[in-house]
Amino acid sequence: MSEKNVNICSGEKLVLLIKNPETLFVLWSFNETNERNFEKGIYTRQVELRIFALSELLPVLSFKFDFNDNRNYIQMPVKEGEYFASLYARNEKGEEMKLLESNVILAPVGKSKEVNYTYGSQFFKRGQI
Amino acid sequence: MSSKGSLMFVLHAHLPYVYHPGDIDIVEESWFFEAVVETYIPIISFIENLSRDGLHPSIAISLSPTLSAMLENKELERKLSDYVAKRLKLISKEKENVTNPVIRKTLDMYYNLYSSAEATLDKYNGDLVGAFKQFSQAQLIEIMTTSATHAILPLLPRPEAVRAQMAVAADDYLYRFNKKSRGFWLPECAYEKKLQTYLKLSGFEYTFLEAHALEKFDMGVYSPVSAGNNLKILARDVTSSRDIWSAQFGYPGDPNYREFYRDLGYDADPEYIKPYLGMGQGKKPVGLKYYRITGRDVALSEKQLYDPVAAEETVKKHVEDFIEKRLKQCEEIYSHKNSKPVIIGCYDAELFGHWWFEGPRFLETVIREIRNKRVPLQIVKPAEYIDSIGEPPVFEPEISSWGEKGYFDAWLNESNDSVYSDIICVTDKMISAATRFKNQNLDRLNQRALNQAAREVLLSQASDWPFLIYVNSHRTYAFSRIREHVSNALLLLNQVFSKNIDEKFLSNVENKNSIFPYIDFRVFASASKF
């Protein structure tokens, strides 16, 4: 979970970004109605993030978070292919609702390089004394 | 003697858009002044020197749209002239006070550097983009573009946003150079597969990737490949790049070279140096650095004096070493692959001169030596090389960047990921607005407001902001720039939707963030010209 930050732009979204071949970054925000539903306890606090392969019906990965933990790093699906995520909540009766659906990402194969890998941007734009 | 292979030098020149009209002594604007004096003008000078001697430099330069806009900005030009004049005054004052003969030699060197900057600005009437344009027209160099505000394109989840970054850059180049850019520099070489489609649809013919994008290709990085859609891929050679890039193993770390971090601005008596620091609190660098690297683990206070003559001798030694290694590398590759390689060296232009002070001299000398001594290495520009090789084999490159750990970690991690919510949110709103209004006959005021919102959204997407936050350098400024652009775009979009445009506010932000004069907000629309 990353540090908390106050954002100035509001709108509902669920976004997947590739950080590296092992890690996906997931980010979400709810519309006002859903935000209120969480705060009033109409929805349970826990949300479930499911990762689906475009070609399959069943999720390949799932993760549970508090609805407020809206920036997370999760593992990448192991098989190369196109994936998207959906975010689900449950109401007080235990009924499940899909609240958000993400963009589609193309999961890569590969591994992060060694720390001493010769990369281009090792000279910072402005160094520190 | 026939060549043993080809060498391609690609310099990526970029700075974020740091223009603060009406303000003086903005620290971030000094990035621009320093880079002009230490990097861009020395590059222009060495291209002129080589050309004057009948030698083709044949280097490729990617000029980012944000840098180009700053180079063409009249107010920044005036501030730059003041900056140079102030430095020349400081050098004169130092010459009056300093008796040490070694420092005096260094002062002569700085006098030449800043005088040359003044003369070059005068010669091109302040139009340094015009200088590069002349070199390109004379086919001495090749110029290409990069994404509009240097966004890391794989970190933009909406295709409309990726296309806008590319299309605005393509139009900006066309407007500036009266022709289309054949090449596209992917910021930080950040690549994922979907980009090849957008690059091709935007009219680009080739791009550069990091070496490991092609690690499964049997010819490795020494021959271009064609992605599935015929986009040509050229990959950076890590071996030759390490000689130049690596602070640890590379030439720039030589003890005889100038030490970047020890600066007169920090060493001098505060009262003495104050007139040259400008307004604001605290010590700042002034660009006069009298010390050499001395040794890797030598404390700044223990550094020894820089000697320009010793540095020049070291440049010669490194040039010899570089050429010898490339010849050997070509021979080895040929013996394994039975094909003459192209060795592609990609570098941030600002490495040469700004970080590695002797870098422009090194590059000029490498080219001069290869040309003059008829070393069997061809120095080639990307487009001419691609035109000369026939159809390269088809290969699908992998996701990659030249950043830390080879992917996007530097621009997306716990230190900076909080910025993406706003950037993605305001981009979504821009796409919605552009799609909603794309076929409407808008009056001039609404058109202006939407165009400015588009500029602000593009500026919020610059890779520089999350990078600065990550390296904890100018972190507050980086956060504030994202906030400013997101906030401006939101206000303008709200004003358009509520039919209540504040013309004074619009004029202010148009004046401040005055990049991309011919932008059309429709570039963000969902069903675009693609």
Side-chain angles (χ1 to χ4, degrees):
Chain A
M1 175 60 194
S2 312
E3 67 185 84
K4 194 83 183 159
N5 185 52
V6 179
N7 294 117
I8 55 174
C9 183
S10 58
E12 66 172 354
K13 61 182 172 295
L14 174 62
V15 177
L16 294 179
L17 296 176
I18 298 170
K19 179 181 179 186
N20 58 47
E22 292 138 351
T23 319
L24 268 175
F25 174 64
V26 58
L27 159 77
W28 66 77
S29 58
F30 300 109
N31 61 29
E32 278 178 29
T33 311
N34 284 335
E35 190 80 44
R36 222 173 14 245
N37 287 343
F38 280 111
E39 275 155 16
K40 286 184 173 172
I42 296 170
Y43 294 160
T44 58
R45 290 189 68 89
Q46 193 178 64
V47 291
E48 188 171 347
L49 180 83
R50 294 180 194 152
I51 309 289
F52 294 87
L54 262 191
S55 54
E56 292 170 33
L57 287 173
L58 294 174
V60 293
L61 290 167
S62 77
F63 305 88
K64 287 180 175 154
F65 299 105
D66 185 276
F67 80 98
N68 259 330
D69 292 345
N70 66 342
R71 298 198 311 272
N72 289 282
Y73 294 89
I74 58 174
Q75 72 185 79
M76 184 75 72
V78 287
K79 228 170 91 184
E80 190 178 23
E82 290 186 302
Y83 295 88
F84 68 98
S86 296
L87 194 73
Y88 296 83
R90 285 182 189 278
N91 63 18
E92 52 215 332
K93 293 179 197 159
E95 293 164 333
E96 187 179 81
M97 282 147 299
K98 183 164 94 171
L99 300 185
L100 298 166
E101 192 167 294
S102 79
N103 55 311
V104 176
I105 56 116
L106 182 59
V109 284
K111 277 179 90 171
S112 290
K113 304 295 167 193
E114 297 296 317
V115 176
N116 65 0
Y117 178 77
T118 304
Y119 49 87
S121 290
Q122 59 182 289
F123 286 87
F124 297 153
K125 302 288 177 199
R126 169 61 56 178
Q128 299 291 292
I129 293 288
Chain B
M1 194 193 295
S2 73
S3 81
K4 296 187 175 186
S6 301
L7 270 183
M8 191 185 291
F9 291 109
V10 183
L11 305 184
H12 172 53
H14 164 70
L15 285 178
Y17 193 67
V18 282
Y19 169 49
H20 295 267
D23 291 337
I24 49 168
D25 300 321
I26 297 291
V27 175
E28 288 77 13
E29 280 186 354
S30 67
W31 298 344
F32 172 69
F33 308 140
E34 288 167 18
V36 169
V37 173
E38 295 172 348
T39 295
Y40 310 136
I41 287 178
I43 289 174
I44 287 169
S45 300
F46 90 61
I47 293 169
E48 285 178 333
N49 294 343
L50 290 168
S51 165
R52 192 189 51 229
D53 296 341
L55 305 171
H56 264 233
S58 295
I59 57 171
I61 300 178
S62 93
L63 274 179
S64 77
T66 49
L67 173 62
S68 300
M70 289 193 288
L71 287 169
E72 288 173 342
N73 182 304
K74 290 289 165 199
E75 185 177 333
L76 283 175
E77 194 186 312
R78 278 195 299 277
K79 288 177 176 178
L80 173 63
S81 293
D82 290 347
Y83 172 88
V84 172
K86 221 179 218 181
R87 292 299 173 274
L88 281 168
K89 218 180 232 178
L90 175 60
I91 292 164
S92 299
K93 194 166 179 187
E94 280 289 278
K95 278 183 158 185
E96 286 168 18
N97 296 335
V98 171
T99 52
N100 184 307
V102 183
I103 300 182
R104 287 189 69 86
K105 260 198 288 183
T106 305
L107 279 166
D108 287 341
M109 179 193 78
Y110 283 125
Y111 180 78
N112 291 337
L113 178 78
Y114 284 90
S115 301
S116 161
E118 201 172 46
T120 305
L121 286 167
D122 199 38
K123 177 179 174 182
Y124 292 101
N125 208 11
D127 179 15
L128 297 184
V129 172
F132 287 112
K133 191 173 168 182
Q134 280 180 32
F135 301 149
S136 166
Q137 282 166 343
Q139 298 188 16
L140 297 171
I141 63 168
E142 181 180 335
I143 304 175
M144 70 186 117
T145 192
T146 180
S147 68
T149 56
H150 212 259
I152 300 284
L153 299 175
L155 296 182
L156 295 176
R158 295 284 297 267
E160 294 91 336
V162 174
R163 292 191 314 232
Q165 280 280 348
M166 289 183 186
V168 170
D171 287 350
D172 188 72
Y173 185 97
L174 185 65
Y175 160 70
R176 189 164 280 122
F177 297 107
N178 305 320
K179 60 178 182 180
K180 77 182 193 78
S181 176
R182 293 182 63 184
F184 186 90
W185 177 263
L186 284 167
E188 315 295 355
C189 297
Y191 175 80
E192 64 157 317
K193 284 182 184 175
K194 72 180 181 194
L195 295 182
Q196 60 177 261
T197 307
Y198 306 136
L199 284 166
K200 196 71 188 167
L201 287 171
S202 302
F204 299 110
E205 296 173 42
Y206 66 87
T207 192
F208 296 86
L209 298 187
E210 177 51 41
H212 65 92
L214 298 190
E215 71 188 355
K216 290 180 191 151
F217 179 56
D218 57 2
M219 191 56 194
V221 298
Y222 301 111
S223 170
V225 297
S226 178
N229 64 352
N230 203 27
L231 177 80
K232 307 293 187 299
I233 306 290
L234 298 144
R236 188 173 81 112
D237 170 46
V238 174
T239 313
S240 58
S241 296
R242 191 184 286 124
D243 290 338
I244 292 177
W245 255 126
S246 171
Q248 195 179 348
F249 309 107
Y251 305 135
D254 190 280
N256 283 335
Y257 287 150
R258 190 188 78 164
E259 168 61 51
F260 177 84
Y261 292 103
R262 187 151 175 198
D263 188 287
L264 183 66
Y266 300 108
D267 283 349
D269 176 71
E271 282 308 306
Y272 170 81
I273 204 75
K274 205 174 167 185
Y276 308 96
L277 292 179
M279 290 159 67
Q281 299 296 309
K283 293 184 170 183
K284 292 176 206 162
V286 291
L288 302 190
K289 302 162 201 292
Y290 297 151
Y291 293 86
R292 62 188 178 91
I293 290 168
T294 312
R296 264 193 75 193
D297 301 318
V298 177
L300 278 181
S301 58
E302 303 298 320
K303 300 281 179 183
Q304 293 171 13
L305 287 175
Y306 179 75
D307 178 356
V309 178
E312 176 66 20
E313 285 307 309
T314 308
V315 167
K316 284 181 192 158
K317 199 179 76 187
H318 285 155
V319 166
E320 208 173 294
D321 180 73
F322 182 81
I323 294 174
E324 198 184 304
K325 280 182 176 161
R326 299 297 74 81
L327 277 169
K328 207 170 160 203
Q329 194 180 0
C330 285
E331 284 164 7
E332 280 172 7
I333 296 162
Y334 187 80
S335 72
H336 286 105
K337 312 275 185 187
N338 201 25
S339 170
K340 287 182 185 178
V342 56
I343 296 172
I344 301 168
C346 303
Y347 313 96
D348 276 342
E350 296 75 22
L351 168 69
F352 294 90
H354 180 62
W355 294 105
W356 179 18
F357 186 69
E358 299 78 7
R361 188 82 187 114
F362 169 85
L363 206 47
E364 177 181 345
T365 315
V366 165
I367 297 166
R368 193 175 283 283
E369 287 288 291
I370 290 174
R371 298 277 194 224
N372 274 340
K373 293 189 176 164
R374 296 178 181 267
V375 175
L377 287 170
Q378 289 188 85
I379 304 172
V380 291
K381 294 175 291 200
E384 71 176 358
Y385 183 75
I386 282 170
D387 290 343
S388 73
I389 54 163
E391 206 46 50
V394 174
F395 183 82
E396 202 63 65
E398 299 290 337
I399 187 169
S400 47
S401 91
W402 77 357
E404 194 178 338
K405 297 183 189 170
Y407 298 96
F408 316 128
D409 299 52
W411 300 275
L412 178 63
N413 56 62
E414 278 85 353
S415 74
N416 56 23
D417 62 19
S418 65
V419 304
Y420 287 97
S421 182
D422 276 344
I423 294 169
I424 291 167
C425 175
V426 78
T427 304
D428 285 348
K429 288 183 191 298
M430 187 68 231
I431 293 166
S432 300
T435 308
R436 157 98 186 265
F437 292 108
K438 71 177 174 183
N439 292 322
Q440 293 191 26
N441 287 325
L442 298 167
D443 62 23
R444 177 88 189 108
L445 191 61
N446 276 289
Q447 178 90 20
R448 276 174 55 198
L450 287 164
N451 288 347
Q452 188 58 32
R455 288 184 191 104
E456 302 288 344
V457 171
L458 290 169
L459 287 166
S460 75
Q461 296 168 345
S463 67
D464 311 274
W465 315 135
F467 187 78
L468 288 168
I469 294 166
Y470 172 54
V471 298
N472 200 19
S473 177
H474 297 255
R475 185 183 161 90
T476 309
Y477 179 79
F479 272 120
S480 76
R481 285 295 301 270
I482 295 172
R483 211 173 175 79
E484 172 197 334
H485 298 304
V486 170
S487 163
N488 288 347
L490 287 175
L491 263 171
L492 290 165
L493 292 175
N494 284 340
Q495 289 175 7
V496 170
F497 278 106
S498 63
K499 299 189 169 95
N500 186 23
I501 296 172
D502 178 348
E503 198 171 352
K504 195 175 165 198
F505 170 74
L506 173 59
S507 297
N508 279 343
V509 287
E510 279 176 332
N511 180 44
K512 184 157 190 254
N513 300 317
S514 55
I515 195 168
F516 310 127
Y518 298 108
I519 197 170
D520 184 337
F521 72 88
R522 293 172 182 86
V523 76
F524 273 99
S526 282
S528 70
K529 59 185 175 185
F530 295 102

